[in-house]
């Protein structure tokens, strides 16, 4: 992946420097700027830039300069392409004088909006001429239908420079998008549907292409890599809470292993209990995932006891909570099976908790070993760190072809 480095990033880092107080943070920022301006090109990027920005973020977090941490996260998101340049530049312009003229992006947006409204008026006039007694609701419905079809606008072959909107294209695309969502795993269902609708011949090509499944499989790998990257960012975020981690994990049941066939929609299966992530194994049995904090875990994961590392009460409490969920599922097994078709008799649970970085004085291997030792003595519940989950998923994805 290309790492972006340009004048906009340099200006934003200059603003960040104005918020830095600690000398270590200022030195880390200076190292970033030095790297950007030390190459042959005008602005040097590369993975080294990302590493230096992360160093600034870590240094600022260590001295509680959280405003710098938030701003540097914007820098990272922009450098790695998660924030678009117009959005980044406009966000930076919030710190400029309000008397300055419109930026090129604002001017473009203004002209586009003006042209769109003018076209709306033209459509309205044409429709009312053909339907003099039309109500406001009928007029808006007509315009809305054209707006949907406009996404699949095609260039006229007979009249170069002219474009046409084919009525009904949106309905076909909506059907294709629904198929891709529900029956095939595609990275971008809407975009794929749009490309197929705008090129009708590709429908026949896709149906006849024996390599089509390989293409779809490659798209799935790409989608999973992107989801795993988002999850790792959340896992390593010192401010992320359980809800942030749940959003990053939602819908990515493949991360938990190939034995899971789907993710259940209903999370409240037992009165008073709400499961964080309900998974369905291949044999139809339920597997629940209980989420605790990762980098922002309040306590430690392990402690020293008689010369050995053992899990702390933080871990035991989380596993006990999961056990209570399983007890409730057992008690309501018949109702859950009859009403929802989910088997809970053989239900199991996974507790995701903590990150080795919360205890930098303890080796990661010792933490993992202590949790595995505990897991071997639990029949239906196990606990792992978020880092181990992500690392395992990355290894599995590297071997997935």
């Amino acid at each position: 992946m290309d790492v972006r480095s340009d004048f906009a990033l340099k200006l934003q880092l200059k603003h960040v420097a104005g918020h830095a107080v600690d000398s270590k943070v200022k030195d880390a920022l200076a190292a970033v700027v030095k790297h950007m301006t030390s190459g042959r090109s005008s602005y040097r990027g590369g993975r080294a830039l990302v590493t230096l920005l992360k160093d600034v973020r870590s240094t600022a977090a260590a001295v509680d300069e959280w405003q710098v941490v938030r701003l540097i996260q914007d820098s990272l998101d922009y450098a790695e392409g998660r924030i678009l340049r117009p959005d980044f530049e406009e966000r930076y312009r919030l710190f400029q004088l309000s008397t300055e003229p419109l930026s090129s992006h604002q001017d473009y947006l203004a002209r586009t909006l003006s042209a769109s409204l003018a076209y709306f008026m033209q459509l309205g006039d044409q429709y009312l001429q053909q339907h003099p007694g039309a109500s406001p609701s009928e007029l808006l419905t007509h315009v809305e239908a054209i707006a949907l079809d406009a996404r699949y606008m095609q260039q006229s072959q007979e009249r170069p420079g002219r474009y046409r909107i084919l009525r009904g294209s949106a309905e076909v695309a909506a059907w294709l998008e629904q198929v891709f969502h529900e029956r095939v795993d595609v990275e971008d269902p809407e975009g794929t549907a749009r490309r197929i609708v705008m090129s009708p011949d590709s429908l026949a090509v896709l149906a006849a292409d024996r390599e089509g499944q390989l293409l779809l499989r490659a798209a799935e790998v790409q989608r999973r890599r992107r989801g795993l990257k988002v999850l790792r960012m959340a896992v390593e975020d010192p401010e992320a809470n359980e809800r942030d981690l749940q959003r990053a994990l939602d819908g990515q049941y493949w991360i938990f292993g190939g034995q899971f066939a789907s993710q259940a929609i209903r999370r409240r299966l037992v009165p008073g209990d709400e499961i964080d992530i309900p998974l369905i194994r291949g044999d139809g049995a339920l597997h629940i995932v209980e989420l605790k904090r990762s980098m922002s875990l309040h306590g430690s994961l392990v402690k020293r006891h008689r010369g050995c590392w053992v899990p702390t009460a933080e871990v035991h409490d989380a596993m006990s909570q999961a056990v209570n969920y399983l007890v409730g599922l057992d008690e309501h097994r018949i109702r859950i099976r009859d009403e929802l078709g989910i088997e809970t008799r053989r239900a199991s649970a996974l507790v995701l908790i903590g990150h080795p970085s919360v205890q930098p004085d303890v080796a990661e291997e010792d933490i993992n070993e202590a949790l595995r030792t505990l897991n071997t003595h639990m029949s239906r519940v196990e606990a792992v760190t978020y880092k181990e989950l992500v690392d395992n998923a990355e290894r599995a994805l590297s071997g997935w072809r």
Side-chain angles (χ1 to χ4, degrees):
M1 180 187 69
D2 294 334
V3 177
R4 180 162 46 190
S5 177
D6 55 20
F7 182 64
L9 180 60
K10 183 179 179 181
L11 282 179
Q12 194 259 0
L13 289 173
K14 181 179 178 181
H15 170 73
V16 176
H19 287 266
V21 177
D22 191 276
S23 59
K24 294 180 181 179
V25 179
K26 292 181 179 180
D27 291 343
L29 280 166
V32 176
V33 177
K34 181 179 179 181
H35 169 80
M36 291 177 61
T37 57
S38 62
R40 294 181 179 179
S41 59
S42 300
Y43 298 98
R44 185 181 176 193
R47 299 306 306 174
L49 175 60
V50 174
T51 300
L52 289 170
L53 287 171
K54 289 182 177 179
D55 289 342
V56 177
R57 185 178 63 184
S58 300
T59 304
V63 295
D64 293 333
E65 292 193 16
W66 299 109
Q67 176 65 3
V68 173
V69 171
R70 285 189 289 270
L71 292 172
I72 287 296
Q73 187 59 55
D74 279 348
S75 307
L76 278 165
D77 289 341
Y78 178 68
E80 295 185 306
R82 289 184 294 275
I83 296 181
L84 299 178
R85 179 177 297 172
D87 184 38
F88 188 74
E89 291 181 356
E90 292 304 327
R91 188 180 305 183
Y92 178 76
R93 288 186 65 84
L94 293 175
F95 308 108
Q96 306 301 308
L97 293 176
S98 60
T99 55
E100 291 186 4
L102 290 176
S103 70
S104 59
H105 303 304
Q106 290 173 312
D107 182 59
Y108 176 77
L109 177 62
R111 287 186 285 107
T112 301
L113 179 60
S114 177
S116 300
L117 292 174
Y119 183 61
F120 172 82
M121 291 298 299
Q122 178 183 346
L123 289 176
D125 287 340
Q126 293 176 353
Y127 184 77
L128 291 176
Q129 289 176 8
Q130 299 172 3
H131 307 83
S135 67
S137 177
E138 292 172 333
L139 173 61
L140 292 175
T141 300
H142 172 71
V143 174
E144 180 184 16
I146 294 180
L148 292 174
D149 288 330
R151 294 190 299 170
Y152 314 101
M153 182 169 55
Q154 298 182 10
Q155 185 171 355
S156 173
Q157 300 297 321
E158 298 81 14
R159 303 173 62 190
R162 304 285 293 185
Y163 300 88
R164 59 186 180 182
I165 300 175
L166 301 180
R167 300 304 308 276
S169 298
E171 185 175 1
V172 175
W175 174 77
L176 285 169
E177 187 177 341
Q178 183 180 13
V179 169
F180 288 142
H181 269 303
E182 298 179 357
R183 308 178 196 176
V184 183
D185 290 328
V186 178
E187 173 189 352
D188 181 9
E190 182 181 353
T192 303
R194 181 183 296 110
R195 287 192 294 273
I196 291 177
V197 169
M198 295 179 69
S199 179
D201 292 340
S202 61
L203 280 169
V205 173
L206 183 63
D209 186 8
R210 299 179 62 183
E211 304 299 322
Q213 288 300 316
L214 293 178
L215 296 176
L216 293 174
R217 199 176 183 88
E220 173 66 7
V221 171
Q222 187 68 16
R223 183 186 70 84
R224 291 186 178 187
R225 289 193 186 281
R226 190 157 33 241
L228 196 57
K229 182 178 180 180
V230 172
L231 175 59
R232 184 174 285 279
M233 288 180 58
V235 165
E236 297 177 351
D237 185 353
E239 295 185 344
N241 55 30
E242 289 94 334
R243 181 169 296 181
D244 298 324
L245 295 164
Q246 184 173 356
R247 280 197 294 265
L249 279 165
D250 191 42
Q252 299 201 76
Y253 59 87
W254 69 269
I255 288 176
F256 298 97
Q259 70 269 34
F260 299 110
S262 64
Q263 178 175 331
I265 298 176
R266 289 278 296 272
R267 293 171 53 202
R268 190 178 293 276
L269 305 177
V270 176
D273 291 341
E274 186 169 87
I275 300 170
D276 289 335
I277 300 179
L279 303 177
I280 305 299
R281 296 202 307 257
D283 62 359
L286 180 69
H287 181 83
I288 66 175
V289 180
E290 174 63 21
L291 304 180
K292 297 301 178 185
R293 291 175 179 260
S294 177
M295 288 289 291
S296 61
L297 187 69
H298 297 308
S300 57
L301 285 166
V302 295
K303 65 180 180 179
R304 203 72 174 171
H305 180 71
R306 295 185 178 180
C308 298
W309 291 108
V310 298
T312 62
E314 195 89 23
V315 176
H316 285 286
D317 288 347
M319 296 187 76
S320 297
Q321 182 180 352
V323 169
N324 288 336
Y325 287 160
L326 294 177
V327 171
L329 292 170
D330 288 340
E331 293 174 347
H332 294 80
R333 177 210 166 208
I334 304 269
R335 179 186 59 80
I336 295 173
R337 185 192 59 191
D338 293 344
E339 294 181 3
L340 305 176
I342 298 176
E343 179 56 67
T344 63
R345 168 174 282 178
R346 303 181 306 278
S348 53
L350 170 69
V351 174
L352 287 176
I353 182 168
H355 191 286
S357 297
V358 302
Q359 283 186 270
D361 56 326
V362 182
E364 180 178 343
E365 293 78 9
D366 291 335
I367 294 176
N368 292 340
E369 185 63 27
L371 294 180
R372 288 169 189 157
T373 300
L374 176 63
N375 292 338
T376 58
H377 293 80
M378 302 289 291
S379 61
R380 299 173 66 185
V381 182
E382 65 172 331
V384 299
T385 66
Y386 282 93
K387 184 177 187 300
E388 185 173 11
L389 174 76
V390 174
D391 289 347
N392 289 342
E394 284 190 342
R395 283 191 290 269
L397 193 57
S398 297
W400 197 70
R401 295 291 185 270

